[in-house]
Amino acid sequence: MRKRVRLNEPIKISSVLDDILSKLGLKSIIEESTAICIWNEIVDEKTKKETEPVKVEDGVLYVRVSSPGLRNKLTFEKEKLIRAINEACGKEIIKSIRLV
């Protein structure tokens, strides 16, 4: 029979989950999915209707844009959007946005 190990200090469940997700390689996937979901929360209604966040790869958020005019507008707003996404996520997940 296996002996139980007693710890002096309780461990926070969030740190245990963090470790498990990291070991399984799921932590970055969850963070990237969160960044994709946040896109629709930080952009205005018109932009939401004419864009679609597609994926995050190596810190780059790929966003499909339906019109050249909106693509041009978003090009000038990239830094602001990156900051807003990362602030909402609580850490730097997005380093760049690529408009496709």
Side-chain angles (χ1 to χ4, degrees):
M1 190 143 105
R2 200 176 207 186
K3 280 189 173 182
R4 281 192 159 171
V5 178
R6 281 204 126 180
L7 300 175
N8 293 334
E9 297 292 320
I11 300 172
K12 289 183 179 181
I13 190 73
S14 61
S15 68
V16 172
L17 287 174
D18 220 24
D19 290 344
I20 291 170
L21 291 173
S22 292
K23 288 177 184 174
L24 294 173
L26 298 174
K27 186 175 179 182
S28 63
I29 293 169
I30 291 170
E31 291 172 344
E32 292 169 354
S33 297
T34 302
I36 288 172
C37 292
I38 287 172
W39 175 263
N40 287 329
E41 295 175 18
I42 64 165
V43 296
D44 59 45
E45 285 300 316
K46 183 178 189 271
T47 302
K48 189 186 306 187
K49 290 177 185 174
E50 295 187 33
T51 61
E52 178 189 1
V54 180
K55 66 179 178 175
V56 176
E57 192 173 283
D58 297 324
V60 179
L61 174 61
Y62 290 83
V63 180
R64 187 173 295 125
V65 183
S66 64
S67 72
L70 182 57
R71 181 178 287 115
N72 190 42
K73 175 188 174 236
L74 293 175
T75 297
F76 291 106
E77 296 179 354
K78 280 184 183 180
E79 291 303 315
K80 181 182 89 169
L81 293 167
I82 291 168
R83 260 193 319 278
I85 292 169
N86 288 334
E87 283 176 16
C89 289
K91 66 186 285 187
E92 184 180 325
I93 296 170
I94 304 301
K95 296 179 180 99
S96 176
I97 295 176
R98 179 157 300 155
L99 305 170
V100 294

